């Protein structure tokens, strides 16, 4: 059992633009976050992951950085940021920053120079190519619709942008670029931060020659887990990461557990853990995420179990069910109507009792839900807006496109945090940059704090349990009753201590019957989202809608 603080921690993700506005301009900011630190302390989280707060023209809400060492003016100043870091540290919490270095903004000084001329000293900081037969240099597509290349008139060449046209990809083949990145990381670490979340870190190395995709799809085969990615990360680890006691989590698209074990293996020469997307793809169709597709619990369990067992003893999992790019977990995997409270708790139980570091996304702890704005004009996310135009051009009808946005759009997760039932949910005294979800009158932090039966207090308890029971952090995972379409049940085992987790994923009641008898000396019900008679045996139980129970058994044979 290799003990590490970042395995025992619970992380809380903040999307600053939507968390708390302190000055009435409708945009969340650093002073807003500072005013809510006691709220985070009450919840009990250990680490805050702050989405980008650097200078940015906000084409992709801060994921397009124009100055890596400056704070976005709308969010505040470096002094505010320092106050935030100190405020977290004083309360015993840590801070990890978002590192976005696959690309910068096109307004970054490097790119401003780079586009000036072919012999500019920054030319090679980005990926420039001449066109092929008057068209793009290759067939790669952008994650945000359309080709991944943009023609630039100044020098008559194209630059690569895997994301928006305002997010040119940095050229990691250039050792100067790598050194700039490492220096910048060191600069932040020396300010006292506790780690990094690394944006799309597995696409930084592109296959030399930048060949067309072999199947004509334009997809990622020539840059996902590219040829030099491990070399680059090992270099980064040697030059920077290994010198600090920090946590690192890499966002890695389209990876298998074998890939993840290379990025986040226990030998520790790259990263501590990765975010993988397999579960997030469960309701995608053949054309991708916008093709809304029903999902099955057996598939869900198969994916989670695969990651749990295949990383066991080899690498560490990060556990999340939503983030700023994904729909709200409650609307996606739970029930955001009548069973709101119990189903939010059921999903929270899963999040906190799998093996891996749990990540809570802001608002999840009060059961925030997806939103349905009437018109496309109310949406702000570049991915959503690009997709809308693209699908319209291709003849899809409006209601179908809107339905995809309602189920999958990133703005579902980005509506302002709901603090109370007053004007604009207490998020701002002005007009919020993205409208508040109309359900804020019921679903808000003030109500949650007051009600001992709330999702918030249940999350708080889950976090406390993690601190008390090693088995929750370190126990080995094993699935039970695998083929059950309605119940997700598993054990976590550490020595003769065993956790038994039983979750009803649906509204319909379900009969749970253990396939195998478990023999033990003591049992304790650690947490449940309904009242449970103490004496009740768990070998056979009738589960209520979205019921969740966690038993701790001792003296297991
Ligand atoms: O958002 C997605 C799902 O539709 C993903 O494709 C997402 O773009 C991908 O996971 C990369 O995400 C990260 O990098 C993007 C940024 O827009 C996301 O917010 C960030 O999490 C570009 O920096
Ligand atoms: Ca503000």
């Amino acid at each position: 059992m290799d003990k590490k603080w970042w395995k025992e921690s619970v992380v809380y993700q903040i999307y600053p633009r939507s968390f708390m506005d302190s000055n009435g301009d409708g945009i969340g900011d650093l002073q807003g976050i500072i005013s809510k630190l006691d709220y985070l302390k009450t919840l009990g989280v250990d680490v805050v992951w702050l989405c980008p707060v650097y200078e940015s023209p906000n084409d992709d809400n801060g994921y397009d950085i124009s100055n890596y060492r400056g704070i976005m003016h709308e969010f505040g100043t470096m002094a505010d940021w320092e106050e935030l870091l100190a405020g977290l540290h004083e309360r015993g919490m840590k801070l990890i920053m978002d590192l976005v270095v696959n690309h910068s903004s096109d307004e970054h000084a490097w790119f401003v120079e780079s586009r000036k001329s072919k012999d500019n000293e920054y030319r090679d900081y980005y990926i420039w190519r001449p066109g092929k037969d008057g068209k793009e240099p290759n067939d790669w597509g952008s994650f945000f619709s359309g080709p991944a290349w943009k023609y630039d008139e100044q020098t008559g060449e194209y630059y690569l942008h895997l994301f928006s046209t305002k997010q040119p990809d940095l050229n990691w083949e250039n050792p100067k670029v790598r050194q700039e990145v490492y220096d910048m990381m060191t600069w932040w670490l020396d300010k006292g931060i506790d780690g990094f979340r690394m944006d799309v870190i597995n696409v930084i190395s592109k296959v030399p020659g930048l060949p067309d995709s072999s199947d004509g799809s334009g997809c990622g085969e020539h840059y996902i887990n590219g040829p030099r990615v491990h070399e680059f990360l090992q270099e980064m680890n040697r030059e920077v990461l290994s010198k600090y006691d920090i946590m690192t989590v890499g966002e890695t698209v389209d990876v298998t557990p074998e890939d993840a074990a290379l990025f986040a293996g226990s030998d520790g020469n790259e990263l501590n853990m990765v975010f993988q997307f397999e579960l997030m793809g469960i309701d995608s169709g053949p054309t991708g995420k916008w093709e809304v597709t029903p999902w099955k619990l057996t598939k869900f369990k198969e994916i989670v179990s695969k990651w749990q067992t295949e990383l066991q003893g080899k690498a560490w999992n990060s556990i999340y069910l939503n983030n700023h790019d994904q729909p709200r977990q409650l609307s996606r995997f739970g029930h955001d109507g009548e069973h709101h409270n119990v189903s939010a708790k059921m999903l929270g139980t899963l999040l906190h009792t799998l093996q891996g570091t749990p990540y809570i996304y802001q608002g999840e702890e009060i059961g925030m839900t997806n939103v349905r704005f009437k018109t496309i004009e109310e949406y702000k996310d570049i991915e959503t807006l690009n997709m809308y135009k693209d699908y319209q051009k291709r003849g899809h009808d409006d209601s179908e496109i809107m339905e995809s946005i309602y189920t999958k759009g990133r703005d579902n997760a980005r509506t302002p945090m709901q603090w109370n039932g007053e004007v604009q949910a207490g998020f701002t005294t002005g007009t919020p940059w993205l409208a508040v979800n109309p359900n804020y009158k019921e679903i808000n932090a003030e109500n949650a704090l007051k009600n001992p039966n709330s999702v918030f207090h249940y999350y708080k308890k889950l976090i406390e349990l993690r601190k008390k029971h090693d088995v929750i952090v370190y126990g080995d995972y094993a699935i039970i009753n695998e083929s059950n379409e309605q119940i997700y049940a598993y054990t976590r085992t550490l020595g003769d201590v065993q956790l038994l987790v039983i979750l009803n994923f649906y509204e319909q009641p379900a009969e749970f019957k253990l396939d195998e008898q478990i023999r033990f000396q003591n049992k304790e019900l650690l947490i449940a989202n309904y009242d449970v008679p103490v004496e009740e045996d768990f070998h056979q139980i009738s589960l209520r809608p979205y019921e969740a129970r966690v038993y701790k058994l001792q003296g297991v044979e």
Side-chain angles (χ1 to χ4, degrees):
M1 190 165 92
D2 185 18
K3 289 197 154 199
K4 292 280 192 278
W5 64 262
W6 42 263
K7 295 182 179 173
E8 295 169 13
S9 295
V10 174
V11 183
Y12 188 90
Q13 181 191 354
I14 292 184
Y15 196 68
R17 206 171 189 76
S18 305
F19 193 62
M20 180 65 200
D21 174 23
S22 71
N23 63 352
D25 67 354
I27 298 170
D29 48 50
L30 295 170
Q31 283 300 333
I33 301 173
I34 293 168
S35 72
K36 297 297 181 185
L37 290 180
D38 288 330
Y39 171 83
L40 298 179
K41 187 67 196 164
T42 305
L43 180 59
V45 295
D46 307 284
V47 177
V48 165
W49 151 26
L50 196 59
C51 285
V53 293
Y54 315 96
E55 278 177 38
S56 163
N58 282 307
D59 188 52
D60 186 18
N61 287 355
Y63 282 91
D64 48 320
I65 298 169
S66 53
N67 176 7
Y68 288 98
R69 297 180 199 216
I71 299 295
M72 193 192 298
H73 304 303
E74 292 171 325
F75 289 174
T77 62
M78 191 59 85
D80 294 324
W81 180 85
E82 276 156 9
E83 190 183 330
L84 170 62
L85 179 67
L88 283 164
H89 284 171
E90 270 160 32
R91 289 169 180 80
M93 292 183 276
K94 295 182 192 291
L95 177 65
I96 67 174
M97 295 287 279
D98 219 307
L99 181 79
V100 188
V101 289
N102 172 66
H103 45 268
S104 73
S105 162
D106 66 338
E107 297 182 33
H108 192 290
W110 300 334
F111 192 77
V112 172
E113 283 301 311
S114 185
R115 79 182 341 163
K116 279 186 182 160
S117 67
K118 288 186 189 166
D119 57 9
N120 187 282
E121 61 171 318
Y122 288 92
R123 185 66 169 183
D124 204 29
Y125 271 45
Y126 295 87
I127 303 174
W128 292 96
R129 291 291 182 277
K132 221 164 62 186
D133 313 322
K135 287 213 296 267
E136 287 80 18
N138 70 22
D139 71 345
W140 299 0
S142 153
F143 280 82
F144 294 160
S145 307
W149 293 94
K150 181 155 195 241
Y151 182 72
D152 199 45
E153 289 200 338
Q154 256 179 99
T155 52
E157 285 191 333
Y158 290 80
Y159 64 86
L160 179 71
H161 63 89
L162 291 181
F163 293 87
S164 94
T165 55
K166 286 181 68 61
Q167 293 168 301
D169 280 50
L170 283 160
N171 178 16
W172 276 71
E173 298 290 322
N174 182 347
K176 283 199 214 146
V177 168
R178 304 205 296 275
Q179 200 52 54
E180 296 264 19
V181 169
Y182 305 154
D183 290 349
M184 177 270 286
M185 293 172 73
T186 302
W187 188 82
W188 281 104
L189 287 162
D190 288 344
K191 281 183 168 290
I193 66 167
D194 305 288
F196 290 107
R197 174 266 186 189
M198 302 184 185
D199 196 61
V200 286
I201 202 67
N202 71 324
V203 306
I204 57 177
S205 163
K206 282 82 179 171
V207 168
L210 314 178
D212 283 327
S213 61
S214 54
D215 58 358
S217 69
C219 288
E221 63 176 299
H222 296 308
Y223 54 83
I224 290 173
N225 308 327
R228 296 182 70 190
V229 68
H230 295 294
E231 178 198 331
F232 294 157
L233 287 177
Q234 283 163 26
E235 182 182 77
M236 179 196 283
N237 187 291
R238 263 194 324 274
E239 303 268 321
V240 186
L241 307 175
S242 59
K243 299 179 180 158
Y244 301 86
D245 178 24
I246 52 173
M247 77 174 265
T248 51
V249 49
E251 189 202 27
T252 51
V253 292
D254 211 8
V255 290
T256 62
E258 296 80 61
D259 301 324
L262 296 175
F263 287 109
S266 330
D267 54 6
N269 65 354
E270 293 185 26
L271 306 175
N272 296 143
M273 59 188 118
V274 299
F275 289 127
Q276 46 86 9
F277 286 85
E278 201 168 345
L279 191 62
M280 296 295 112
I282 193 171
D283 49 3
S284 294
T287 61
K289 84 173 222 180
W290 298 111
E291 187 176 342
V292 179
T293 311
W295 58 277
K296 284 180 82 165
L297 185 63
T298 39
K299 183 69 190 168
F300 187 108
K301 297 198 288 189
E302 184 192 313
I303 296 171
V304 176
S305 296
K306 176 168 105 183
W307 282 87
Q308 289 285 298
T309 50
E310 292 189 22
L311 293 197
Q312 183 74 58
K314 287 194 198 131
W316 192 250
N317 271 294
S318 58
I319 313 293
Y320 73 97
L321 295 172
N322 55 192
N323 62 32
H324 66 296
D325 292 332
Q326 299 293 332
R328 289 279 177 184
Q329 66 189 42
L330 182 60
S331 303
R332 193 181 199 180
F333 302 123
H335 191 292
D336 60 12
E338 179 195 346
H339 301 292
H340 179 270
N341 180 288
V342 278
S343 76
K345 291 173 179 172
M346 185 279 287
L347 292 170
T349 311
L350 176 72
L351 179 81
H352 290 268
T353 60
L354 289 170
Q355 196 192 61
T357 300
Y359 289 75
I360 301 170
Y361 177 66
Q362 69 184 40
E364 171 188 333
E365 77 282 11
I366 56 169
M368 281 179 62
T369 69
N370 282 353
V371 72
R372 295 170 76 92
F373 294 133
K374 285 221 168 57
T375 62
I376 189 69
E377 283 70 39
E378 290 171 85
Y379 287 87
K380 304 284 183 244
D381 168 33
I382 179 141
E383 183 192 41
T384 301
L385 299 177
N386 284 0
M387 164 275 192
Y388 184 86
K389 278 186 235 137
D390 188 44
Y391 274 53
Q392 240 189 357
K393 234 189 286 164
R394 293 199 264 141
H396 293 260
D397 72 62
D398 207 69
S399 62
E400 179 205 339
I401 306 178
M402 291 311 285
E403 213 43 58
S404 294
I405 295 173
Y406 295 153
T407 28
K408 294 295 187 60
R410 304 199 296 183
D411 281 339
N412 281 310
R414 299 177 180 185
T415 60
M417 177 73 186
Q418 293 161 207
W419 293 107
N420 58 42
E422 283 144 47
V423 186
Q424 305 295 5
F427 164 73
T428 181
T429 54
T431 309
W433 71 277
L434 177 70
V436 168
N437 190 317
N439 64 18
Y440 71 90
K441 292 235 157 75
E442 296 82 54
I443 301 172
N444 63 61
E446 192 177 272
N447 282 351
L449 285 163
K450 273 197 296 225
N451 173 7
N453 188 37
S454 68
V455 179
F456 181 94
H457 288 290
Y458 190 88
Y459 264 63
K460 184 171 157 63
K461 185 166 177 198
L462 283 167
I463 297 169
E464 284 163 8
L465 289 171
R466 187 177 190 83
K467 307 276 175 268
K468 285 196 210 127
H469 306 279
D470 265 355
V471 64
I472 298 182
V473 180
Y474 295 106
D476 284 356
Y477 167 97
I479 190 164
I480 51 180
N481 295 34
E482 199 169 352
S483 59
N484 193 307
E485 255 319 333
Q486 198 177 336
I487 299 166
Y488 189 178
Y490 50 94
T491 56
R492 302 279 312 282
T493 309
L494 191 66
D496 71 345
V497 179
Q498 193 166 68
L499 216 60
L500 172 63
V501 182
I502 306 167
L503 311 169
N504 179 5
F505 252 76
Y506 293 90
E507 188 175 357
Q508 295 73 29
E511 289 305 312
F512 174 75
K513 191 169 181 311
L514 257 184
D515 292 344
E516 276 170 66
Q517 201 72 13
I518 302 180
R519 289 223 291 254
F520 57 92
Q521 277 152 18
N522 283 311
K523 91 167 183 221
E524 183 191 347
L525 181 71
L526 290 188
I527 193 165
N529 60 355
Y530 284 89
D531 287 331
V532 175
V534 195
E535 65 288 352
E536 192 175 52
D537 178 32
F538 57 73
H539 286 90
Q540 184 159 6
I541 37 181
S542 302
L543 295 169
R544 290 156 277 190
Y546 297 98
E547 182 158 359
R549 299 185 188 190
V550 181
Y551 288 97
K552 183 184 176 190
L553 312 175
Q554 261 160 323
V556 174
E557 286 166 31

